[in-house]
Amino acid sequence: MNKDIATPSRTREILQKHGFSFKKSLGQNFLTEPNILNKIVATAEIDEHTNVIEVGPGIGALTEHLARAAHQVLAFEIDDRLIPVLADTLSPYDNIKVVHNDILKVDLMKETAYFDQAGPIKVVANLPYYITTPIMMHILESDLAVDELVVMMQREVADRISAKPGTKAYGSLSIAVQYYMEATTAFIVPKTVFIPQPNVDSAILRLVRRETPAVEVTNEKEFFKLTKSAFILRRKTLWNNLLNSYGKDEAKRAWLETSLQQAEIDPKRRGETLSLEEFARLSNALEANRQ
Ligand code: SAM
């Protein structure tokens, strides 16, 4: 087996060899601890049938661990300076394709034609923290049905995504993700295992696709609009937030009132107390009563 990329000394050697300097604006914090990488691969339950998508391979620390365990790895890296570095560090592996592109601009359906065998598709990544949420939503909303994501992010964002109703961290992001996926925080990663060190600790979030969405809604777009509206001002009641989003005229008030009644939801509650089921009930009532 090749010497791990992810040790502090090998990482420094590679950076020096290629004269690489970090770009903070691209969220570049490289992992330098093989044990963490082994734990990530174990959490994702990757085997020789798994096809893996990686976002932001950096110098390939996680990529090589994925390649050792998986069938194939498809990695998207935005920084052109890293492309020759990756060609060098990953040269011992023949089951990796590195695509130089912004993950937010790629058509995942098209790119995954690279996978030459059917098998579960999993996204495994140490995400660039400045765009964690857009990346997650881009993947979840793509036509490609990713089976599982095991992704590192700021601990605080992982907490928000996996939060339950009635907690401070619960919000429209929790609902947007939990609608499609079962979310759990797998483990916490201290900031000391990165070069350079980020300011905060990280967490590995594991998301497993549900067979069907968590709740049945008649109009997904409107359901997500409703959940966003309910949290615009967290301290306001559901009623106030709904009036602000949907309009305050008589007809709108009557529509909202009837729908809340039908869904058996007290308008004086705050959005953060409503479960996914309650949001779905309210969304379906709003749709049914729409004029
Ligand atoms: N996977 C490596 C590791 O664990 O050491 C690097 C992780 S680093 C936190 C994030 C990586 O994502 C960087 O290599 C950065 O250049 C890349 N990146 C940032 N924005 C990106 C984007 N929009 N699309 C693809 N890659 C991106």
Side-chain angles (χ1 to χ4, degrees), residues 26-31 54 56-58 77 102-103 126 130-131:
L26 289 179
Q28 292 176 337
N29 301 96
F30 296 168
L31 265 169
E54 188 192 5
E77 176 54 62
D102 178 344
I103 185 69
N126 170 14
Y130 74 108
I131 45 165

Side-chain angles (χ1 to χ4, degrees), residues 26-32 37 54-63 76-79 82 101-104 126-131 135 152 194:
L26 289 179
Q28 292 176 337
N29 301 96
F30 296 168
L31 265 169
T32 58
L37 295 165
E54 188 192 5
V55 181
I59 59 170
L62 175 59
T63 326
F76 297 95
E77 176 54 62
I78 198 172
D79 189 344
L82 286 169
N101 207 344
D102 178 344
I103 185 69
L104 298 179
N126 170 14
L127 293 174
Y129 293 171
Y130 74 108
I131 45 165
I135 292 176
M152 173 133 63
F194 299 91

Side-chain angles (χ1 to χ4, degrees), residues 158 161-164 177-178 181-185 205-208 210:
I161 290 177
S162 58
K164 298 281 172 257
V177 175
Q178 291 176 31
M181 317 290 285
E182 203 120 21
T184 44
T185 298
L205 186 75
R206 179 167 186 241
L207 302 174
V208 180
R210 301 175 189 274

